[in-house]
């Protein structure tokens, strides 16, 4: 290589270093964490937290989730921790006109120093902080120090000050079962890190997101807002807003270009107007040429999820900066039309088509987010998609998730109902608090708005209901003050920001709420759980929770559910093996944070099934199995009612249910909870039930008094299609049906149609079933031409009274595979049974390392042979899979 070529390459590199903005990451495992009295100093990793740093350095010798370590390690949260590191800065950074420290997430209250000079403070976990550090840097080695204050002591100090100077802001206590910490509502931090009724208290400290140095000579593009506006069925228009951050205090010129994939949609030289804080907002109407074919984005089950790469480039005399995002073209509407005799509808339309919302509620997947992997989050969201869901509610007591979460939701067609991070509490409406919240909401909406998966924003979780239902005694005294504060926070501040930053978005002040009716009531309803308006949260913990008549005739149920225990394998990771003998042992019970939760599970099992004998890990496994049946059947009863409840009551206007989001999808740790997926990713029986209940094609047999009814539900747009209906009545003791009823029925798109109705007593009489305790009904609907089929069952009596149900003696005839290598390894399993088997549960031995999901599980087996598929991310030897596969049915449980 000649010297001239070397000099030319050096000149090119120098040129690009000069004209492009530079980002230097300060992440890494070269930080140190020190406690307040300096008795501990350990190597730290960023992003991270002090708990995980102490784990890596063997200061915390056990998993914080193990046993009672949420108590044993409480000292960590009460200490104050300081993070520091040294880093180098070269001329390419120093020579830039603007050099800034950008902290994408500090948890939570801190002071930041560069070379021993304090440059700023933080008090909000959900805010990106930016500090001008150019004058504090030196060429070569520099130091950064972030000194955190305990969230517990900080929150208590603010609470005490607020009570002294103003008034109490409840809650002042936490339920004993939650074993939690107080005053989380005084600090902008993950509310559930102070504990919840499904999670532990670990109010940690640390640099939980990226921390970087940004250096540039003019401006950078921070966020891009995109509104996709349909012109007609084939044409779309874009309204784009660029949010830039500039070093200037006055206007500057630049060339702006917008590309969709590689096609330039917009090019213009523009004068940027800079406001006092250096921010620039530029709104651009961008038409899309007719020659560009646009495919609409749809949620899972309604169509494809086409995403388009959009790039914005700004070229100034000093810099070339760009930002890339992916967008989808879709229009979402929340339809709230009047209904007679009273009420409003509450459902979504996507690209002009009504959508039945089917999904769940998302809680933080770990109390230490740094321990989560992209693969784990993807598997959880893939489980959402595979269970035929089209919506997740990101619950308001957790966090705003990482960008990857929303990108995956875009790809998988999962709409996000997004709470802002306020839950089950009132909040101190001070100027400092409101200013911090205003920054938080602005930043988060700007960051997330462009995702087609964002369906709506909700101000909080259950805080309107808390006021209306007098959750805390202080409301009786200070109710007017609290209502005024509520309106200030969720209407005057948050709502105004959402309107400004996402004017095409949907905003509800709370969940549950009465939607438009809440606005008519001055933003606070006396009955925010009114079935004729908006969404409701409904929990029924009594022993007859399998009875569909117990559930509300509502428009949209955004929370409902029942608890179950996680598997023995999950519990064995955090409970000593010697304690895995009884479900109510101290070691297991202490993980139950829902008041009376274990009793509710017990009584639901006792009402419907025979209780297992006690003692030993196998008997614990039986109890867990029964708890998961109990949960699954409760969800089945409630969800199937919501799915078929499309009619409107002429008496009170209730009905026309168009959404069911059960509580909850995932777990934050290993615990009895409402989840359908255990911590670690294992599907409970409930998730397999959900997969069937949320299918676009669902048949629901049920009894209405003494009438057997069958409803066929379709949530597709394929037109009228004839279907074959088959109703079978079995005795529990035989695989041969007593009666088979065959009909041809016509089905319609986006409907819930009654396709069969007859007195149950007459059906059983025709089947010669003289005792309901002896029989079960199975219903199948299919169309072979479309390869459509759905089946379901109806229990006719409590299972503890079932007569003739016996060991089915299921055996594995064949295991073969793998048959497909993308994206999963697929194995075929063929089962054989001698008798009817109920709640057939396939699993693997406790010592097995096999992971994956079955095509079906927890099912009714009424044929001699059953074909099942198993999906694994990793290849498995067939002999190993067969030898470690275990099968349990209700008849195999050893009962009292």
């Amino acid at each position: 290589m000649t010297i001239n070529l070397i000099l030319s390459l050096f000149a090119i590199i120098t040129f690009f270093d000069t004209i492009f903005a530079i980002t230097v990451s300060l992440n890494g495992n070269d930080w140190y964490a020190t406690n307040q009295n300096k008795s501990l100093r350990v190597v730290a990793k960023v992003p991270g937290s002090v708990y995980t740093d102490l784990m890596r350095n063997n200061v915390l010798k056990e998993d914080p989730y193990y046993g009672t370590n949420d108590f044993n390690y409480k000292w960590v949260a009460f200490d104050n921790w300081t993070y520091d590191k040294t880093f180098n800065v070269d001329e390419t950074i120093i020579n830039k006109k603007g050099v800034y420290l950008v902290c994408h997430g500090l948890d939570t209250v801190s002071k930041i120093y560069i070379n021993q000079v304090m440059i700023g403070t933080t008090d909000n976990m959900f805010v990106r902080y930016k500090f001008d550090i150019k004058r504090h840097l030196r060429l070569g080695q520099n130091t950064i120090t972030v000194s955190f204050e305990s969230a517990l002591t900080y929150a208590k100090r603010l609470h005490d000050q607020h009570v002294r100077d103003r008034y109490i802001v409840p809650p002042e206590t936490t339920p004993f079962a939650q074993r939690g910490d107080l005053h989380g509502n005084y600090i902008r931090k993950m509310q559930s890190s102070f504990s919840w009724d499904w999670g532990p208290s670990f109010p940690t400290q640390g640099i939980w997101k990226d921390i970087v140095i940004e250096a540039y000579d003019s401006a950078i593009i921070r966020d891009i807002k995109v509104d996709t506006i349909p012109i007609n069925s084939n044409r779309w228009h874009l309204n784009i807003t660029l949010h830039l951050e500039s070093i200037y205090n006055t206007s500057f010129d630049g060339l702006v270009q917008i590309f969709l994939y590689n096609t330039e949609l917009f090019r213009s030289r523009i004068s940027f107007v800079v406001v006092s804080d250096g921010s620039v907002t530029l709104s651009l109407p961008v038409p899309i040429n007719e020659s560009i074919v646009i495919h609409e984005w749809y949620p899972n089950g309604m169509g494809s999820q086409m995403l388009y790469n959009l790039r914005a480039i700004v070229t100034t005399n000093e810099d070339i900066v760009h930002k890339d995002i992916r967008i989808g073209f879709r229009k979402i509407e929340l339809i709230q039309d009047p209904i007679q005799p009273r009420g409003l509808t509450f459902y979504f339309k996507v690209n002009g088509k009504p959508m039945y919302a089917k999904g769940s509620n998302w809680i933080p997947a770990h109390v230490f987010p740094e321990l989560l992997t992209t693969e784990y989050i993807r598997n959880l969201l893939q489980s959402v998609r595979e269970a035929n869901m089209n919506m997740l509610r990101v619950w308001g007591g957790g966090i705003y998730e990482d960008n990857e979460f929303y990108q995956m939701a875009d790809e998988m067609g999962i709409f996000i109902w997004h709470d802002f991070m306020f839950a089950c509490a009132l909040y101190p409406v001070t100027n400092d608090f409101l200013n911090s919240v205003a920054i938080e909401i602005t930043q988060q909406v700007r960051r997330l708005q462009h995702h087609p998966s964002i369906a709506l924003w909700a101000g909080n979780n259950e805080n309107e209901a808390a006021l209306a239902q007098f959750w805390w005694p202080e409301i009786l005294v200070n109710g007017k003050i609290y209502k005024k504060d509520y309106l200030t926070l969720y209407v005057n501040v948050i709502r105004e920001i959402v309107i400004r930053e996402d004017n095409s978005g949907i905003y509800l002040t709370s969940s549950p709420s009465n939607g438009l009716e809440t606005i008519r009531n001055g933003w606070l309803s006396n009955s925010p759980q009114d079935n004729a308006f908006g969404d409701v949260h409904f929990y029924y913990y009594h022993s007859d929770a399998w009875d569909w008549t117990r559930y509300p005739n509502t428009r949209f149920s955004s929370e409902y559910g029942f608890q179950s225990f996680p598997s023995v394998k999950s519990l064995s990771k955090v409970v000593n093996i010697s304690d895995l003998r009884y479900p109510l042992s101290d070691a297991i019970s202490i993980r139950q944070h829902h008041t009376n939760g274990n009793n509710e599970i017990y009584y639901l099992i006792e009402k419907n099934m025979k209780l297992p004998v006690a003692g030993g890990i196998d008997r614990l496994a039986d109890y867990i199995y029964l708890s998961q049946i109990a949960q699954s059947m409760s969800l089945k009863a409630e969800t199937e009612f919501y799915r078929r409840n499309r009619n409107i009551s002429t008496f009170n206007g209730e009905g026309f249910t168009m959404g069911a989001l059960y509580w909850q999808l995932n777990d934050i740790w290993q615990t009895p909870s409402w989840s359908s997926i255990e911590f670690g990713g294992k599907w409970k029986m409930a998730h397999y039930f959900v997969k069937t209940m949320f299918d676009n094609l669902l048949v629901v047999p049920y009894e209405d008094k003494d009438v057997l009814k069958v409803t066929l539900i379709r949530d597709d747009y394929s037109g009228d299609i004839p279907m074959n209906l088959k109703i079978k009545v079995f005795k529990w003791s035989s695989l041969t049906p007593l009666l088979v009823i065959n009909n041809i029925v016509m089905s319609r798109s986006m409907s819930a149609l009654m396709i069969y109705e007859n007195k149950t007593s007459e059906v059983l009489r025709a089947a010669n079933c003289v005792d309901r305790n002896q029989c079960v009904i199975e219903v199948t609907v299919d169309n072979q031409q479309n390869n459509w089929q759905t089946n379901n069952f109806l229990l006719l009596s409590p299972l503890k009274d079932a007569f003739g149900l016996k060991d089915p003696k299921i055996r594995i005839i064949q295991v073969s595979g793998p048959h497909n290598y993308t994206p999963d390894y697929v194995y075929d399993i063929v089962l054989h049974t001698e008798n009817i088997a109920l709640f057939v549960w396939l699993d693997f031995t406790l010592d097995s390392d096999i992971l994956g999901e079955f095509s079906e599980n927890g099912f009714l087996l009424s044929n001699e042979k059953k074909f099942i598929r198993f999906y694994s991310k990793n290849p498995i030897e067939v002999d190993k899979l067969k030898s470690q596969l275990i099968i349990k049915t209700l008849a195999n449980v050893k009962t009292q």
Side-chain angles (χ1 to χ4, degrees):
M1 184 179 293
T2 67
I3 188 64
N4 288 336
L5 182 56
I6 294 173
L7 291 173
S8 297
L9 289 173
F10 179 77
I12 292 172
I13 294 170
T14 302
F15 170 75
F16 279 107
D17 278 343
T18 302
I19 66 167
F20 285 114
I22 299 172
T23 299
V24 177
S25 173
L26 298 181
N27 296 349
N29 55 6
D30 54 351
W31 287 76
Y32 288 89
T34 308
N35 68 338
Q36 184 167 353
N37 68 11
K38 297 182 173 53
S39 61
L40 284 172
R41 181 170 172 81
V42 298
V43 175
K45 183 179 180 181
V46 171
S49 76
V50 65
Y51 277 95
T52 51
D53 289 330
L54 294 176
M55 287 168 59
R56 273 190 297 272
N57 287 274
N58 208 32
V59 175
L60 303 181
K61 300 185 184 302
E62 292 180 330
D63 183 342
Y65 282 3
Y66 189 86
T68 57
N69 283 339
D70 52 333
F71 298 109
N72 302 336
Y73 295 164
K74 186 68 71 179
W75 62 270
V76 176
F78 277 104
D79 210 336
N80 299 320
W81 296 87
T82 296
Y83 279 71
D84 68 273
K85 76 171 286 181
T86 60
F87 62 97
N88 290 313
V89 171
D90 61 23
E91 291 178 346
T92 61
I93 299 292
I94 290 289
N95 291 340
K96 289 291 184 180
K97 294 178 182 178
V99 184
Y100 304 91
L101 177 70
V102 180
C103 310
H104 289 276
L106 297 177
D107 184 10
T108 295
V109 181
S110 76
K111 296 177 181 177
I112 306 169
Y113 302 82
I114 295 290
N115 296 324
Q116 288 77 53
V117 177
M118 192 174 81
I119 60 167
T121 62
T122 74
D123 62 2
N124 191 322
M125 178 183 184
F126 308 123
V127 163
R128 177 186 65 253
Y129 289 92
K130 179 181 176 182
F131 306 101
D132 186 345
I133 61 172
K134 181 175 174 64
R135 68 184 182 277
H136 303 298
L137 290 178
R138 51 190 178 227
L139 191 63
Q141 193 173 82
N142 295 261
T143 63
I144 180 172
T145 304
V146 185
S147 295
F148 291 97
E149 179 182 353
S150 164
L152 296 175
T153 56
Y154 173 85
K156 186 179 187 306
R157 187 172 76 253
L158 263 62
H159 162 270
D160 293 349
Q161 179 181 338
H162 198 279
V163 171
R164 183 179 64 249
D165 298 343
R166 304 182 75 182
Y167 44 85
I168 290 172
V169 180
E172 285 288 286
T173 61
T174 61
F176 175 77
Q178 287 189 20
R179 302 171 177 87
D181 294 292
L182 284 169
H183 312 314
N185 53 330
Y186 282 85
I187 181 172
R188 294 307 298 142
K189 177 177 170 63
M190 183 199 298
Q191 299 291 272
S192 56
S193 68
F194 284 70
S195 89
W196 219 262
D197 55 4
W198 36 254
S201 175
F202 283 104
T204 189
Q205 302 164 45
I207 304 169
W208 78 291
K209 285 182 175 287
D210 293 339
I211 183 167
V212 302
I213 294 173
E214 292 178 347
Y216 43 91
D217 288 320
S218 59
I220 62 165
I221 305 170
R222 180 65 68 191
D223 296 298
I224 303 176
K225 172 193 168 187
V226 179
D227 291 324
T228 55
I229 312 298
I231 305 301
N232 54 46
S233 58
N234 297 315
R235 291 193 60 199
W236 291 75
H237 179 90
L238 294 176
N239 286 339
I240 294 176
T241 302
L242 302 184
H243 295 288
L244 295 89
E245 295 172 6
S246 170
I247 68 166
Y248 298 113
N249 296 320
T250 57
S251 61
F252 64 97
D253 293 336
L255 175 67
V256 177
Q257 297 166 275
I258 303 293
F259 292 85
L260 193 67
Y261 277 117
N262 295 319
T263 302
E264 187 178 60
L265 301 181
F266 180 92
R267 169 190 282 260
S268 181
R269 194 154 193 90
I270 291 174
S271 179
F272 296 93
V273 178
V274 183
V275 297
S276 59
D277 64 353
S279 63
V280 180
T281 299
L282 177 66
S283 296
L284 305 171
V286 180
I288 298 178
N289 192 289
E290 292 184 31
S291 63
I292 300 176
V293 178
I294 298 297
H295 299 278
E296 294 169 321
W297 184 98
Y298 279 99
N300 183 33
M302 286 187 70
S304 63
Q305 291 80 50
M306 184 67 181
L307 297 172
Y308 294 80
N309 295 326
L310 186 142
R311 168 172 285 195
I313 301 175
V314 175
T315 304
T316 68
N317 292 333
E318 296 87 5
D319 277 327
I320 300 176
V321 295
H322 76 275
K323 187 174 181 67
D324 296 323
I325 59 173
R326 290 195 304 171
I327 66 171
F329 288 82
R330 62 100 178 103
K331 180 181 180 182
I332 184 168
E333 303 167 89
L334 179 57
I335 307 302
Q336 299 182 76
D337 291 335
I339 285 180
Q340 296 300 325
R342 69 182 290 268
L344 300 170
T345 63
F346 192 91
Y347 69 93
F348 294 95
K349 272 187 177 180
V350 184
N351 301 327
K353 297 179 180 179
M355 179 192 84
Y356 194 105
K358 299 175 285 192
S360 188
N361 285 260
W362 173 275
I363 66 169
H366 207 296
V367 77
F368 309 126
E370 66 271 16
L371 295 182
L372 294 170
T373 64
T374 300
E375 179 185 15
Y376 184 68
I377 298 299
R378 181 172 289 279
N379 286 342
L380 285 175
L381 292 181
Q382 188 64 39
S383 295
V384 170
R385 180 180 172 89
E386 289 174 5
N388 298 306
M389 301 186 211
N390 56 27
M391 181 173 281
L392 271 183
R393 175 171 172 253
V394 173
W395 168 77
I399 60 174
Y400 307 94
E401 297 291 337
D402 282 347
N403 292 334
E404 287 181 333
F405 175 92
Y406 304 95
Q407 291 165 3
M408 294 177 197
D410 294 344
E411 295 167 6
M412 298 182 193
I414 303 167
F415 265 132
I416 302 298
W417 169 313
H418 211 305
D419 287 0
F420 292 114
M421 296 303 126
F422 304 86
C424 297
L426 304 183
Y427 289 84
V429 183
T430 63
N431 288 335
D432 287 345
F433 188 88
L434 291 177
N435 290 336
S436 181
V437 167
I439 296 169
E440 168 192 330
I441 303 302
T442 299
Q443 288 186 0
Q444 296 297 342
V445 173
R446 286 182 178 181
R447 177 173 73 98
L448 300 176
Q449 181 275 341
H450 70 271
H451 290 281
S453 57
I454 295 293
L456 69 76
W457 307 100
N460 63 74
N461 172 76
E462 298 182 351
N463 296 348
E464 181 186 357
L467 283 171
Q469 298 163 6
F470 298 94
W471 282 15
W472 307 287
E474 293 85 0
I475 297 175
L476 295 170
V477 179
N478 296 325
K480 289 184 178 180
I481 295 174
Y482 296 149
K483 289 179 179 180
K484 180 177 179 293
D485 288 352
Y486 180 95
L487 295 177
T488 298
L489 178 58
Y490 301 113
V491 180
N492 300 341
V493 174
I494 295 178
R495 178 176 177 269
E496 290 303 312
I497 293 171
V498 173
I499 291 172
R500 183 186 73 219
E501 301 297 339
D502 188 12
N503 57 305
S504 65
I506 302 165
Y507 177 70
L508 303 173
T509 46
S510 185
S511 177
S513 82
N514 291 340
L516 289 178
E517 186 69 7
T518 293
I519 300 175
R520 294 175 187 142
N521 293 332
W523 300 102
L524 277 166
S525 172
N526 292 328
S527 179
Q529 296 267 40
D530 193 325
N531 289 331
F533 304 93
D535 66 313
V536 304
H537 297 182
F538 184 85
Y539 292 94
Y540 188 80
Y541 295 132
H542 299 286
S543 59
D544 55 348
W546 293 12
D547 180 357
W548 67 267
T549 65
R550 301 299 181 185
Y551 298 110
N553 197 14
T554 182
R555 300 281 189 253
F556 195 112
S557 186
S558 53
E559 277 195 31
Y560 64 96
F562 205 94
Q563 284 197 332
S564 70
F565 283 84
S567 64
V568 171
K569 176 171 279 190
S570 288
L571 288 173
S572 69
K573 298 179 187 302
V574 292
V575 175
N576 191 294
I577 197 74
S578 63
D579 292 316
L580 293 175
R581 299 174 57 82
Y582 305 99
L584 303 183
S585 69
D586 289 345
I588 297 177
S589 292
I590 203 168
R591 307 187 76 80
Q592 171 62 276
H593 284 193
H594 169 53
T595 302
N596 207 39
N598 286 346
N599 286 336
E600 292 164 357
I601 295 171
Y602 175 90
Y603 289 123
L604 187 60
I605 294 173
E606 182 188 49
K607 168 79 173 180
N608 294 283
M609 296 171 283
K610 295 178 181 178
L611 290 166
V613 297
I617 195 167
D618 290 338
R619 303 292 72 77
L620 173 62
D622 284 344
Y623 191 89
I624 290 171
Y625 168 72
L626 294 181
S627 82
Q628 293 199 11
I629 293 173
Q631 178 194 32
S632 300
M633 290 297 291
S634 298
L635 278 177
K636 181 178 188 292
E638 191 166 0
T639 305
E640 289 180 349
F641 169 60
Y642 294 148
R643 288 290 311 278
R644 62 180 169 81
N645 191 38
R646 307 288 174 94
N647 296 323
I648 298 170
S649 169
T650 56
F651 172 68
N652 58 16
E654 294 181 355
F656 195 58
T657 307
M658 285 294 286
L661 311 179
Y662 69 90
W663 185 271
Q664 66 208 57
L665 177 76
N666 56 311
D667 270 328
I668 200 170
W669 72 332
Q670 302 90 337
T671 185
S673 83
W674 298 261
S675 74
S676 65
I677 302 178
E678 300 176 6
F679 179 79
K682 179 181 173 64
W683 288 19
K684 290 182 178 177
M685 187 183 294
H687 206 75
Y688 289 98
F689 271 55
V690 166
K691 181 179 179 182
T692 298
M693 295 184 300
F694 282 159
D695 199 310
N696 275 353
L697 180 67
L698 174 67
V699 64
V700 179
Y702 63 101
E703 281 192 279
D704 190 356
K705 299 184 175 68
D706 183 41
V707 178
L708 171 64
K709 297 181 178 180
V710 179
T711 297
L712 180 61
I713 299 149
R714 280 181 50 200
D715 285 340
D716 64 84
Y717 286 91
S718 301
D720 294 353
I721 295 177
M723 308 288 285
N724 301 308
L725 167 66
K726 183 173 291 186
I727 301 174
K728 295 181 180 180
V729 180
F730 289 92
K731 272 191 172 182
W732 285 118
S733 58
S734 175
L735 288 169
T736 303
L738 297 172
L739 175 70
V740 179
I741 300 172
N742 288 291
N743 279 334
I744 297 177
V745 298
M746 185 60 68
S747 68
R748 294 204 303 265
S749 296
M750 205 61 193
S751 68
L753 297 178
M754 184 86 67
I755 59 172
Y756 183 84
E757 186 174 3
N758 197 358
K759 285 189 175 181
T760 309
S761 56
E762 292 186 5
V763 174
L764 297 183
R765 188 180 302 114
N768 198 27
C769 175
V770 297
D771 186 346
R772 291 173 64 101
N773 294 331
Q774 293 181 336
C775 300
V776 63
I777 293 176
E778 184 180 43
V779 178
T780 301
V781 171
D782 66 45
N783 180 292
Q784 294 183 359
Q785 182 177 351
N786 288 13
N787 198 28
W788 285 5
Q789 179 172 316
T790 180
N791 63 283
N792 207 337
F793 64 89
L794 176 65
L795 302 178
L796 298 172
S797 67
L799 290 170
K800 64 182 179 182
D801 300 328
F803 179 76
L805 193 60
K806 54 189 175 181
D807 183 358
K809 298 178 182 177
I810 297 176
R811 55 192 175 88
I812 303 168
I813 296 177
Q814 182 182 358
V815 177
S816 60
H819 299 297
N820 183 13
Y821 295 91
T822 54
D824 296 313
Y825 295 88
V826 182
Y827 298 84
D828 294 337
I829 302 169
V830 182
L831 306 178
H832 180 275
T833 184
E834 296 183 12
N835 297 296
I836 282 187
L838 186 58
F839 303 123
V840 179
W841 183 246
L842 307 180
D843 205 346
F844 296 98
T845 56
L846 186 59
D847 60 352
S848 176
D849 61 355
I850 297 175
L851 301 174
E853 290 81 43
F854 297 92
S855 55
E856 295 179 68
N857 218 344
F859 49 84
L860 171 71
L861 182 52
S862 61
N863 294 314
E864 282 190 0
K865 290 185 178 180
K866 178 75 172 179
F867 175 83
I868 298 290
R869 280 196 155 153
F870 179 70
Y871 302 90
S872 174
K873 299 294 184 205
N874 303 302
I876 309 165
E877 293 181 4
V878 169
D879 290 343
K880 176 181 176 180
L881 192 151
K882 187 173 183 179
S883 65
Q884 295 183 6
L885 182 64
I886 55 177
I887 303 171
K888 178 176 287 190
T889 74
L890 188 64
N892 299 133
V893 175
K894 293 185 179 180
T895 58
Q896 297 176 5

